[in-house]
Amino acid sequence: MQMFGKKIENLTILKEKGFAVPEFLVVKPGEEISVSDIPWEVCSVRSSANIEDSADSSFAGQFDTFLNVSKEDVPAKLEACRASVEKQTVREYLAKQGVDAADLQMNVIVQRMIPADFSGVCFTANPQGLLNEMVIVAGEGTGDNVVEDKTDTTAYYYNTTDGNYYYEGAEDYLGDAMVQKLVQTATDMTALFGPYLDIEFAVWNGEL
């Protein structure tokens, strides 16, 4: 599945293994999509280039992503996502990484948009080097608000050795039951992808 990129590959694996991944469609280079092909009223439109999120080249933030897109606007946003490969910043990144632009193939994920009550990122090991401590950062709304620091967040520090944790921040957004579910879900994912992951999550109506 390397031609589809890591995002599509990982989403497909998670869905096949029964994880609660929002439904998605894959649009390959040269393919088109019509409004009648889209079963959701509101979508996200996300890049998944064949060389994106690789061990050597993450392309983090290089390609355009669109959230809360009405199904009628998906075809236009699909083309905008594809066109982002032509941005000067992308060309400079390719040159820096020693990647030939001709090797870049832009696949696009059209995914059901989750109107999250809370969302965030779970690090299976503390990025500061504490390998037996998970870190969960959560805030209100969708994940872009958390990543771009547009909302107050709370960080949970979970010791995987003894199961104790504490939190620092605005308030206890998640509650104990959701913290425990996140920890178990993240642990299950490490069996598939390895021990050191950062996992995007959303909580909507009490569901992860």
mmCIF file of all heavy atoms in Angstrom, residues 29-82:
data_model
loop_
_atom_site.group_PDB
_atom_site.id
_atom_site.type_symbol
_atom_site.label_atom_id
_atom_site.label_comp_id
_atom_site.label_asym_id
_atom_site.label_seq_id
_atom_site.Cartn_x
_atom_site.Cartn_y
_atom_site.Cartn_z
ATOM 1 N N PRO A 29 -4.639 9.500 -7.812
ATOM 2 C CA PRO A 29 -4.321 10.463 -8.868
ATOM 3 C C PRO A 29 -5.062 10.135 -10.162
ATOM 4 O O PRO A 29 -5.148 8.971 -10.563
ATOM 5 C CB PRO A 29 -2.799 10.288 -9.043
ATOM 6 C CG PRO A 29 -2.323 9.786 -7.725
ATOM 7 C CD PRO A 29 -3.421 8.906 -7.216
ATOM 8 N N GLY A 30 -5.626 11.156 -10.786
ATOM 9 C CA GLY A 30 -6.348 10.963 -12.031
ATOM 10 C C GLY A 30 -7.814 10.604 -11.847
ATOM 11 O O GLY A 30 -8.593 10.689 -12.802
ATOM 12 N N GLU A 31 -8.198 10.193 -10.667
ATOM 13 C CA GLU A 31 -9.603 9.872 -10.408
ATOM 14 C C GLU A 31 -10.381 11.136 -10.048
ATOM 15 O O GLU A 31 -9.815 12.092 -9.519
ATOM 16 C CB GLU A 31 -9.729 8.866 -9.271
ATOM 17 C CG GLU A 31 -9.242 7.470 -9.604
ATOM 18 C CD GLU A 31 -9.501 6.487 -8.483
ATOM 19 O OE1 GLU A 31 -9.733 6.914 -7.340
ATOM 20 O OE2 GLU A 31 -9.484 5.277 -8.757
ATOM 21 N N GLU A 32 -11.660 11.090 -10.302
ATOM 22 C CA GLU A 32 -12.534 12.189 -9.924
ATOM 23 C C GLU A 32 -13.577 11.658 -8.953
ATOM 24 O O GLU A 32 -13.767 10.453 -8.810
ATOM 25 C CB GLU A 32 -13.211 12.789 -11.167
ATOM 26 C CG GLU A 32 -12.243 13.339 -12.206
ATOM 27 C CD GLU A 32 -11.337 14.426 -11.653
ATOM 28 O OE1 GLU A 32 -11.772 15.172 -10.751
ATOM 29 O OE2 GLU A 32 -10.186 14.536 -12.123
ATOM 30 N N ILE A 33 -14.254 12.574 -8.299
ATOM 31 C CA ILE A 33 -15.318 12.204 -7.374
ATOM 32 C C ILE A 33 -16.477 13.165 -7.589
ATOM 33 O O ILE A 33 -16.279 14.356 -7.837
ATOM 34 C CB ILE A 33 -14.811 12.241 -5.915
ATOM 35 C CG1 ILE A 33 -15.811 11.552 -4.985
ATOM 36 C CG2 ILE A 33 -14.519 13.649 -5.463
ATOM 37 C CD1 ILE A 33 -15.257 11.338 -3.575
ATOM 38 N N SER A 34 -17.679 12.645 -7.539
ATOM 39 C CA SER A 34 -18.861 13.487 -7.684
ATOM 40 C C SER A 34 -19.597 13.538 -6.353
ATOM 41 O O SER A 34 -19.376 12.712 -5.462
ATOM 42 C CB SER A 34 -19.787 12.936 -8.775
ATOM 43 O OG SER A 34 -20.317 11.684 -8.393
ATOM 44 N N VAL A 35 -20.483 14.498 -6.223
ATOM 45 C CA VAL A 35 -21.223 14.667 -4.976
ATOM 46 C C VAL A 35 -22.022 13.407 -4.658
ATOM 47 O O VAL A 35 -22.153 13.009 -3.496
ATOM 48 C CB VAL A 35 -22.144 15.899 -5.070
ATOM 49 C CG1 VAL A 35 -23.047 15.999 -3.846
ATOM 50 C CG2 VAL A 35 -21.314 17.174 -5.215
ATOM 51 N N SER A 36 -22.521 12.738 -5.681
ATOM 52 C CA SER A 36 -23.331 11.531 -5.462
ATOM 53 C C SER A 36 -22.506 10.366 -4.921
ATOM 54 O O SER A 36 -23.066 9.405 -4.389
ATOM 55 C CB SER A 36 -24.014 11.112 -6.771
ATOM 56 O OG SER A 36 -23.046 10.811 -7.773
ATOM 57 N N ASP A 37 -21.181 10.461 -5.023
ATOM 58 C CA ASP A 37 -20.298 9.403 -4.501
ATOM 59 C C ASP A 37 -20.081 9.527 -2.998
ATOM 60 O O ASP A 37 -19.537 8.611 -2.371
ATOM 61 C CB ASP A 37 -18.921 9.469 -5.181
ATOM 62 C CG ASP A 37 -18.988 9.183 -6.660
ATOM 63 O OD1 ASP A 37 -19.793 8.330 -7.065
ATOM 64 O OD2 ASP A 37 -18.224 9.819 -7.415
ATOM 65 N N ILE A 38 -20.473 10.650 -2.418
ATOM 66 C CA ILE A 38 -20.112 10.964 -1.028
ATOM 67 C C ILE A 38 -21.310 10.708 -0.113
ATOM 68 O O ILE A 38 -22.344 11.370 -0.244
ATOM 69 C CB ILE A 38 -19.655 12.428 -0.917
ATOM 70 C CG1 ILE A 38 -18.501 12.693 -1.892
ATOM 71 C CG2 ILE A 38 -19.234 12.752 0.514
ATOM 72 C CD1 ILE A 38 -18.195 14.150 -2.094
ATOM 73 N N PRO A 39 -21.210 9.771 0.821
ATOM 74 C CA PRO A 39 -22.351 9.430 1.675
ATOM 75 C C PRO A 39 -22.508 10.294 2.920
ATOM 76 O O PRO A 39 -23.434 10.080 3.697
ATOM 77 C CB PRO A 39 -22.045 7.981 2.074
ATOM 78 C CG PRO A 39 -20.560 7.879 2.049
ATOM 79 C CD PRO A 39 -20.084 8.819 0.978
ATOM 80 N N TRP A 40 -21.618 11.286 3.129
ATOM 81 C CA TRP A 40 -21.670 12.101 4.343
ATOM 82 C C TRP A 40 -21.920 13.556 3.973
ATOM 83 O O TRP A 40 -21.434 14.039 2.959
ATOM 84 C CB TRP A 40 -20.362 11.983 5.134
ATOM 85 C CG TRP A 40 -19.866 10.561 5.155
ATOM 86 C CD1 TRP A 40 -20.436 9.488 5.790
ATOM 87 C CD2 TRP A 40 -18.733 10.047 4.455
ATOM 88 N NE1 TRP A 40 -19.724 8.353 5.541
ATOM 89 C CE2 TRP A 40 -18.673 8.655 4.726
ATOM 90 C CE3 TRP A 40 -17.763 10.613 3.633
ATOM 91 C CZ2 TRP A 40 -17.676 7.837 4.196
ATOM 92 C CZ3 TRP A 40 -16.769 9.799 3.101
ATOM 93 C CH2 TRP A 40 -16.746 8.432 3.387
ATOM 94 N N GLU A 41 -22.651 14.251 4.816
ATOM 95 C CA GLU A 41 -22.986 15.640 4.540
ATOM 96 C C GLU A 41 -21.800 16.573 4.775
ATOM 97 O O GLU A 41 -21.657 17.595 4.107
ATOM 98 C CB GLU A 41 -24.171 16.081 5.405
ATOM 99 C CG GLU A 41 -25.479 15.388 5.046
ATOM 100 C CD GLU A 41 -25.881 15.601 3.593
ATOM 101 O OE1 GLU A 41 -25.741 16.739 3.097
ATOM 102 O OE2 GLU A 41 -26.316 14.620 2.959
ATOM 103 N N VAL A 42 -20.962 16.224 5.743
ATOM 104 C CA VAL A 42 -19.797 17.058 6.075
ATOM 105 C C VAL A 42 -18.555 16.172 6.108
ATOM 106 O O VAL A 42 -18.583 15.075 6.697
ATOM 107 C CB VAL A 42 -19.978 17.759 7.432
ATOM 108 C CG1 VAL A 42 -18.804 18.688 7.706
ATOM 109 C CG2 VAL A 42 -21.286 18.537 7.469
ATOM 110 N N CYS A 43 -17.483 16.630 5.486
ATOM 111 C CA CYS A 43 -16.285 15.804 5.305
ATOM 112 C C CYS A 43 -15.021 16.573 5.683
ATOM 113 O O CYS A 43 -15.021 17.795 5.804
ATOM 114 C CB CYS A 43 -16.151 15.365 3.838
ATOM 115 S SG CYS A 43 -17.607 14.570 3.144
ATOM 116 N N SER A 44 -13.944 15.812 5.850
ATOM 117 C CA SER A 44 -12.602 16.387 5.810
ATOM 118 C C SER A 44 -11.938 15.896 4.531
ATOM 119 O O SER A 44 -12.244 14.800 4.050
ATOM 120 C CB SER A 44 -11.776 15.976 7.033
ATOM 121 O OG SER A 44 -11.606 14.572 7.077
ATOM 122 N N VAL A 45 -11.095 16.722 3.965
ATOM 123 C CA VAL A 45 -10.371 16.387 2.732
ATOM 124 C C VAL A 45 -8.890 16.480 3.072
ATOM 125 O O VAL A 45 -8.385 17.564 3.384
ATOM 126 C CB VAL A 45 -10.747 17.336 1.585
ATOM 127 C CG1 VAL A 45 -9.979 16.978 0.313
ATOM 128 C CG2 VAL A 45 -12.252 17.283 1.322
ATOM 129 N N ARG A 46 -8.191 15.335 3.019
ATOM 130 C CA ARG A 46 -6.843 15.237 3.563
ATOM 131 C C ARG A 46 -5.888 14.622 2.541
ATOM 132 O O ARG A 46 -6.242 13.705 1.817
ATOM 133 C CB ARG A 46 -6.845 14.367 4.824
ATOM 134 C CG ARG A 46 -7.894 14.723 5.838
ATOM 135 C CD ARG A 46 -7.961 13.718 6.965
ATOM 136 N NE ARG A 46 -6.720 13.685 7.731
ATOM 137 C CZ ARG A 46 -6.371 12.683 8.539
ATOM 138 N NH1 ARG A 46 -7.141 11.620 8.648
ATOM 139 N NH2 ARG A 46 -5.257 12.740 9.212
ATOM 140 N N SER A 47 -4.670 15.109 2.550
ATOM 141 C CA SER A 47 -3.649 14.554 1.658
ATOM 142 C C SER A 47 -3.138 13.220 2.190
ATOM 143 O O SER A 47 -3.127 12.968 3.391
ATOM 144 C CB SER A 47 -2.470 15.526 1.538
ATOM 145 O OG SER A 47 -1.783 15.616 2.780
ATOM 146 N N SER A 48 -2.726 12.354 1.263
ATOM 147 C CA SER A 48 -1.983 11.144 1.628
ATOM 148 C C SER A 48 -1.047 10.809 0.477
ATOM 149 O O SER A 48 -1.245 9.834 -0.258
ATOM 150 C CB SER A 48 -2.922 9.968 1.913
ATOM 151 O OG SER A 48 -2.180 8.836 2.372
ATOM 152 N N ALA A 49 -0.037 11.650 0.315
ATOM 153 C CA ALA A 49 0.932 11.426 -0.761
ATOM 154 C C ALA A 49 1.702 10.135 -0.511
ATOM 155 O O ALA A 49 1.873 9.704 0.633
ATOM 156 C CB ALA A 49 1.901 12.605 -0.857
ATOM 157 N N ASN A 50 2.144 9.514 -1.587
ATOM 158 C CA ASN A 50 2.811 8.209 -1.475
ATOM 159 C C ASN A 50 4.090 8.275 -0.643
ATOM 160 O O ASN A 50 4.504 7.272 -0.060
ATOM 161 C CB ASN A 50 3.119 7.659 -2.868
ATOM 162 C CG ASN A 50 4.010 8.590 -3.683
ATOM 163 O OD1 ASN A 50 3.882 9.809 -3.622
ATOM 164 N ND2 ASN A 50 4.895 8.011 -4.479
ATOM 165 N N ILE A 51 4.715 9.452 -0.551
ATOM 166 C CA ILE A 51 5.955 9.566 0.214
ATOM 167 C C ILE A 51 5.760 10.416 1.478
ATOM 168 O O ILE A 51 6.732 10.780 2.141
ATOM 169 C CB ILE A 51 7.083 10.167 -0.653
ATOM 170 C CG1 ILE A 51 6.659 11.489 -1.282
ATOM 171 C CG2 ILE A 51 7.518 9.173 -1.715
ATOM 172 C CD1 ILE A 51 7.752 12.152 -2.100
ATOM 173 N N GLU A 52 4.513 10.707 1.817
ATOM 174 C CA GLU A 52 4.211 11.493 3.011
ATOM 175 C C GLU A 52 4.278 10.612 4.254
ATOM 176 O O GLU A 52 3.945 9.426 4.206
ATOM 177 C CB GLU A 52 2.802 12.091 2.873
ATOM 178 C CG GLU A 52 2.416 13.102 3.913
ATOM 179 C CD GLU A 52 1.041 13.700 3.636
ATOM 180 O OE1 GLU A 52 0.449 13.405 2.576
ATOM 181 O OE2 GLU A 52 0.570 14.457 4.492
ATOM 182 N N ASP A 53 4.684 11.193 5.383
ATOM 183 C CA ASP A 53 4.752 10.475 6.659
ATOM 184 C C ASP A 53 5.680 9.267 6.619
ATOM 185 O O ASP A 53 5.481 8.284 7.332
ATOM 186 C CB ASP A 53 3.357 10.011 7.109
ATOM 187 C CG ASP A 53 2.459 11.186 7.456
ATOM 188 O OD1 ASP A 53 2.986 12.187 7.966
ATOM 189 O OD2 ASP A 53 1.250 11.100 7.227
ATOM 190 N N SER A 54 6.694 9.334 5.774
ATOM 191 C CA SER A 54 7.679 8.257 5.732
ATOM 192 C C SER A 54 8.712 8.477 6.825
ATOM 193 O O SER A 54 8.734 9.518 7.486
ATOM 194 C CB SER A 54 8.366 8.211 4.361
ATOM 195 O OG SER A 54 9.183 9.352 4.174
ATOM 196 N N ALA A 55 9.586 7.508 7.019
ATOM 197 C CA ALA A 55 10.606 7.617 8.060
ATOM 198 C C ALA A 55 11.556 8.784 7.797
ATOM 199 O O ALA A 55 12.073 9.411 8.721
ATOM 200 C CB ALA A 55 11.390 6.312 8.151
ATOM 201 N N ASP A 56 11.767 9.089 6.503
ATOM 202 C CA ASP A 56 12.732 10.128 6.148
ATOM 203 C C ASP A 56 12.089 11.488 5.881
ATOM 204 O O ASP A 56 12.732 12.518 6.052
ATOM 205 C CB ASP A 56 13.513 9.698 4.900
ATOM 206 C CG ASP A 56 14.296 8.414 5.121
ATOM 207 O OD1 ASP A 56 14.846 8.252 6.224
ATOM 208 O OD2 ASP A 56 14.334 7.576 4.197
ATOM 209 N N SER A 57 10.825 11.489 5.426
ATOM 210 C CA SER A 57 10.176 12.730 5.007
ATOM 211 C C SER A 57 8.744 12.756 5.530
ATOM 212 O O SER A 57 7.890 12.033 5.018
ATOM 213 C CB SER A 57 10.166 12.843 3.468
ATOM 214 O OG SER A 57 11.487 12.756 2.958
ATOM 215 N N SER A 58 8.483 13.600 6.531
ATOM 216 C CA SER A 58 7.142 13.628 7.116
ATOM 217 C C SER A 58 6.179 14.496 6.305
ATOM 218 O O SER A 58 4.980 14.232 6.277
ATOM 219 C CB SER A 58 7.206 14.169 8.543
ATOM 220 O OG SER A 58 7.512 15.551 8.546
ATOM 221 N N PHE A 59 6.701 15.539 5.659
ATOM 222 C CA PHE A 59 5.881 16.520 4.947
ATOM 223 C C PHE A 59 4.851 17.164 5.878
ATOM 224 O O PHE A 59 3.790 17.609 5.438
ATOM 225 C CB PHE A 59 5.167 15.893 3.733
ATOM 226 C CG PHE A 59 6.074 15.658 2.553
ATOM 227 C CD1 PHE A 59 6.805 14.491 2.443
ATOM 228 C CD2 PHE A 59 6.200 16.611 1.562
ATOM 229 C CE1 PHE A 59 7.645 14.277 1.366
ATOM 230 C CE2 PHE A 59 7.033 16.403 0.472
ATOM 231 C CZ PHE A 59 7.761 15.227 0.377
ATOM 232 N N ALA A 60 5.138 17.226 7.157
ATOM 233 C CA ALA A 60 4.192 17.768 8.129
ATOM 234 C C ALA A 60 3.822 19.207 7.779
ATOM 235 O O ALA A 60 4.691 20.071 7.647
ATOM 236 C CB ALA A 60 4.793 17.707 9.532
ATOM 237 N N GLY A 61 2.530 19.464 7.607
ATOM 238 C CA GLY A 61 2.043 20.799 7.324
ATOM 239 C C GLY A 61 2.302 21.316 5.927
ATOM 240 O O GLY A 61 1.976 22.471 5.618
ATOM 241 N N GLN A 62 2.869 20.493 5.058
ATOM 242 C CA GLN A 62 3.223 20.967 3.727
ATOM 243 C C GLN A 62 2.015 21.005 2.780
ATOM 244 O O GLN A 62 1.897 21.907 1.960
ATOM 245 C CB GLN A 62 4.307 20.067 3.119
ATOM 246 C CG GLN A 62 5.630 20.103 3.852
ATOM 247 C CD GLN A 62 6.325 21.442 3.724
ATOM 248 O OE1 GLN A 62 6.246 22.114 2.713
ATOM 249 N NE2 GLN A 62 7.003 21.853 4.789
ATOM 250 N N PHE A 63 1.137 20.022 2.886
ATOM 251 C CA PHE A 63 -0.010 19.935 1.984
ATOM 252 C C PHE A 63 -1.256 20.486 2.667
ATOM 253 O O PHE A 63 -1.369 20.495 3.891
ATOM 254 C CB PHE A 63 -0.241 18.486 1.560
ATOM 255 C CG PHE A 63 0.949 17.849 0.898
ATOM 256 C CD1 PHE A 63 1.515 16.699 1.423
ATOM 257 C CD2 PHE A 63 1.516 18.401 -0.234
ATOM 258 C CE1 PHE A 63 2.612 16.105 0.822
ATOM 259 C CE2 PHE A 63 2.617 17.825 -0.840
ATOM 260 C CZ PHE A 63 3.170 16.674 -0.309
ATOM 261 N N ASP A 64 -2.214 20.918 1.855
ATOM 262 C CA ASP A 64 -3.418 21.537 2.389
ATOM 263 C C ASP A 64 -4.441 20.490 2.823
ATOM 264 O O ASP A 64 -4.672 19.496 2.127
ATOM 265 C CB ASP A 64 -4.052 22.455 1.346
ATOM 266 C CG ASP A 64 -3.195 23.683 1.065
ATOM 267 O OD1 ASP A 64 -2.406 24.055 1.952
ATOM 268 O OD2 ASP A 64 -3.306 24.250 -0.040
ATOM 269 N N THR A 65 -5.029 20.723 3.988
ATOM 270 C CA THR A 65 -6.110 19.906 4.521
ATOM 271 C C THR A 65 -7.314 20.809 4.744
ATOM 272 O O THR A 65 -7.164 21.958 5.158
ATOM 273 C CB THR A 65 -5.689 19.257 5.854
ATOM 274 O OG1 THR A 65 -4.753 18.214 5.599
ATOM 275 C CG2 THR A 65 -6.891 18.649 6.578
ATOM 276 N N PHE A 66 -8.502 20.280 4.488
ATOM 277 C CA PHE A 66 -9.721 21.071 4.634
ATOM 278 C C PHE A 66 -10.703 20.319 5.530
ATOM 279 O O PHE A 66 -10.986 19.144 5.295
ATOM 280 C CB PHE A 66 -10.344 21.335 3.260
ATOM 281 C CG PHE A 66 -9.418 22.024 2.309
ATOM 282 C CD1 PHE A 66 -8.677 21.287 1.393
ATOM 283 C CD2 PHE A 66 -9.265 23.401 2.334
ATOM 284 C CE1 PHE A 66 -7.804 21.911 0.505
ATOM 285 C CE2 PHE A 66 -8.391 24.038 1.465
ATOM 286 C CZ PHE A 66 -7.661 23.300 0.549
ATOM 287 N N LEU A 67 -11.197 21.018 6.552
ATOM 288 C CA LEU A 67 -12.135 20.435 7.501
ATOM 289 C C LEU A 67 -13.508 21.076 7.343
ATOM 290 O O LEU A 67 -13.640 22.178 6.808
ATOM 291 C CB LEU A 67 -11.634 20.643 8.934
ATOM 292 C CG LEU A 67 -10.230 20.120 9.261
ATOM 293 C CD1 LEU A 67 -9.896 20.388 10.725
ATOM 294 C CD2 LEU A 67 -10.100 18.640 8.949
ATOM 295 N N ASN A 68 -14.534 20.350 7.809
ATOM 296 C CA ASN A 68 -15.912 20.854 7.772
ATOM 297 C C ASN A 68 -16.319 21.272 6.360
ATOM 298 O O ASN A 68 -16.896 22.351 6.151
ATOM 299 C CB ASN A 68 -16.084 22.012 8.758
ATOM 300 C CG ASN A 68 -15.932 21.582 10.202
ATOM 301 O OD1 ASN A 68 -16.625 20.680 10.658
ATOM 302 N ND2 ASN A 68 -15.005 22.204 10.919
ATOM 303 N N VAL A 69 -16.037 20.405 5.404
ATOM 304 C CA VAL A 69 -16.357 20.669 3.997
ATOM 305 C C VAL A 69 -17.714 20.041 3.682
ATOM 306 O O VAL A 69 -17.920 18.846 3.895
ATOM 307 C CB VAL A 69 -15.279 20.073 3.069
ATOM 308 C CG1 VAL A 69 -15.633 20.334 1.607
ATOM 309 C CG2 VAL A 69 -13.907 20.637 3.413
ATOM 310 N N SER A 70 -18.647 20.832 3.172
ATOM 311 C CA SER A 70 -19.934 20.270 2.746
ATOM 312 C C SER A 70 -19.702 19.357 1.546
ATOM 313 O O SER A 70 -18.769 19.566 0.760
ATOM 314 C CB SER A 70 -20.908 21.376 2.373
ATOM 315 O OG SER A 70 -20.479 22.052 1.203
ATOM 316 N N LYS A 71 -20.530 18.335 1.422
ATOM 317 C CA LYS A 71 -20.306 17.360 0.344
ATOM 318 C C LYS A 71 -20.304 18.021 -1.028
ATOM 319 O O LYS A 71 -19.588 17.583 -1.935
ATOM 320 C CB LYS A 71 -21.340 16.240 0.419
ATOM 321 C CG LYS A 71 -22.766 16.660 0.175
ATOM 322 C CD LYS A 71 -23.763 15.538 0.466
ATOM 323 C CE LYS A 71 -23.529 14.300 -0.366
ATOM 324 N NZ LYS A 71 -24.529 13.244 -0.109
ATOM 325 N N GLU A 72 -21.077 19.108 -1.184
ATOM 326 C CA GLU A 72 -21.116 19.804 -2.469
ATOM 327 C C GLU A 72 -19.770 20.454 -2.805
ATOM 328 O O GLU A 72 -19.442 20.636 -3.981
ATOM 329 C CB GLU A 72 -22.215 20.876 -2.457
ATOM 330 C CG GLU A 72 -23.631 20.342 -2.427
ATOM 331 C CD GLU A 72 -24.062 19.833 -1.062
ATOM 332 O OE1 GLU A 72 -23.386 20.170 -0.063
ATOM 333 O OE2 GLU A 72 -25.070 19.109 -0.989
ATOM 334 N N ASP A 73 -19.001 20.789 -1.788
ATOM 335 C CA ASP A 73 -17.723 21.472 -2.007
ATOM 336 C C ASP A 73 -16.531 20.514 -2.068
ATOM 337 O O ASP A 73 -15.401 20.957 -2.301
ATOM 338 C CB ASP A 73 -17.476 22.493 -0.899
ATOM 339 C CG ASP A 73 -18.437 23.667 -0.964
ATOM 340 O OD1 ASP A 73 -18.959 23.943 -2.067
ATOM 341 O OD2 ASP A 73 -18.681 24.296 0.078
ATOM 342 N N VAL A 74 -16.777 19.227 -1.848
ATOM 343 C CA VAL A 74 -15.662 18.273 -1.812
ATOM 344 C C VAL A 74 -14.882 18.222 -3.123
ATOM 345 O O VAL A 74 -13.645 18.229 -3.104
ATOM 346 C CB VAL A 74 -16.152 16.875 -1.399
ATOM 347 C CG1 VAL A 74 -15.099 15.805 -1.709
ATOM 348 C CG2 VAL A 74 -16.487 16.849 0.083
ATOM 349 N N PRO A 75 -15.538 18.154 -4.305
ATOM 350 C CA PRO A 75 -14.736 18.099 -5.540
ATOM 351 C C PRO A 75 -13.764 19.265 -5.684
ATOM 352 O O PRO A 75 -12.613 19.074 -6.101
ATOM 353 C CB PRO A 75 -15.807 18.106 -6.646
ATOM 354 C CG PRO A 75 -16.997 17.455 -6.010
ATOM 355 C CD PRO A 75 -16.987 17.978 -4.603
ATOM 356 N N ALA A 76 -14.189 20.474 -5.308
ATOM 357 C CA ALA A 76 -13.303 21.639 -5.421
ATOM 358 C C ALA A 76 -12.155 21.544 -4.422
ATOM 359 O O ALA A 76 -10.997 21.874 -4.748
ATOM 360 C CB ALA A 76 -14.097 22.922 -5.202
ATOM 361 N N LYS A 77 -12.451 21.106 -3.200
ATOM 362 C CA LYS A 77 -11.393 20.984 -2.189
ATOM 363 C C LYS A 77 -10.437 19.844 -2.541
ATOM 364 O O LYS A 77 -9.245 19.902 -2.213
ATOM 365 C CB LYS A 77 -11.997 20.757 -0.809
ATOM 366 C CG LYS A 77 -12.815 21.930 -0.304
ATOM 367 C CD LYS A 77 -12.009 23.224 -0.254
ATOM 368 C CE LYS A 77 -12.818 24.351 0.370
ATOM 369 N NZ LYS A 77 -12.088 25.656 0.294
ATOM 370 N N LEU A 78 -10.941 18.813 -3.193
ATOM 371 C CA LEU A 78 -10.076 17.735 -3.676
ATOM 372 C C LEU A 78 -9.028 18.285 -4.627
ATOM 373 O O LEU A 78 -7.827 17.970 -4.508
ATOM 374 C CB LEU A 78 -10.927 16.675 -4.365
ATOM 375 C CG LEU A 78 -10.210 15.600 -5.175
ATOM 376 C CD1 LEU A 78 -9.394 14.692 -4.268
ATOM 377 C CD2 LEU A 78 -11.200 14.778 -5.983
ATOM 378 N N GLU A 79 -9.448 19.120 -5.551
ATOM 379 C CA GLU A 79 -8.504 19.706 -6.504
ATOM 380 C C GLU A 79 -7.536 20.661 -5.809
ATOM 381 O O GLU A 79 -6.358 20.722 -6.162
ATOM 382 C CB GLU A 79 -9.266 20.429 -7.618
ATOM 383 C CG GLU A 79 -10.047 19.499 -8.527
ATOM 384 C CD GLU A 79 -9.186 18.366 -9.086
ATOM 385 O OE1 GLU A 79 -8.038 18.634 -9.514
ATOM 386 O OE2 GLU A 79 -9.652 17.216 -9.082
ATOM 387 N N ALA A 80 -8.027 21.383 -4.803
ATOM 388 C CA ALA A 80 -7.147 22.287 -4.066
ATOM 389 C C ALA A 80 -6.097 21.514 -3.292
ATOM 390 O O ALA A 80 -4.927 21.938 -3.201
ATOM 391 C CB ALA A 80 -7.977 23.160 -3.127
ATOM 392 N N CYS A 81 -6.494 20.375 -2.733
ATOM 393 C CA CYS A 81 -5.537 19.531 -2.016
ATOM 394 C C CYS A 81 -4.463 19.019 -2.971
ATOM 395 O O CYS A 81 -3.271 19.051 -2.658
ATOM 396 C CB CYS A 81 -6.285 18.374 -1.353
ATOM 397 S SG CYS A 81 -5.253 17.315 -0.317
ATOM 398 N N ARG A 82 -4.898 18.574 -4.142
ATOM 399 C CA ARG A 82 -3.931 18.107 -5.144
ATOM 400 C C ARG A 82 -3.001 19.236 -5.577
ATOM 401 O O ARG A 82 -1.798 19.030 -5.771
ATOM 402 C CB ARG A 82 -4.682 17.558 -6.357
ATOM 403 C CG ARG A 82 -5.329 16.203 -6.141
ATOM 404 C CD ARG A 82 -6.195 15.828 -7.314
ATOM 405 N NE ARG A 82 -6.599 14.423 -7.264
ATOM 406 C CZ ARG A 82 -7.546 13.886 -8.021
ATOM 407 N NH1 ARG A 82 -8.192 14.645 -8.895
ATOM 408 N NH2 ARG A 82 -7.846 12.606 -7.914
#
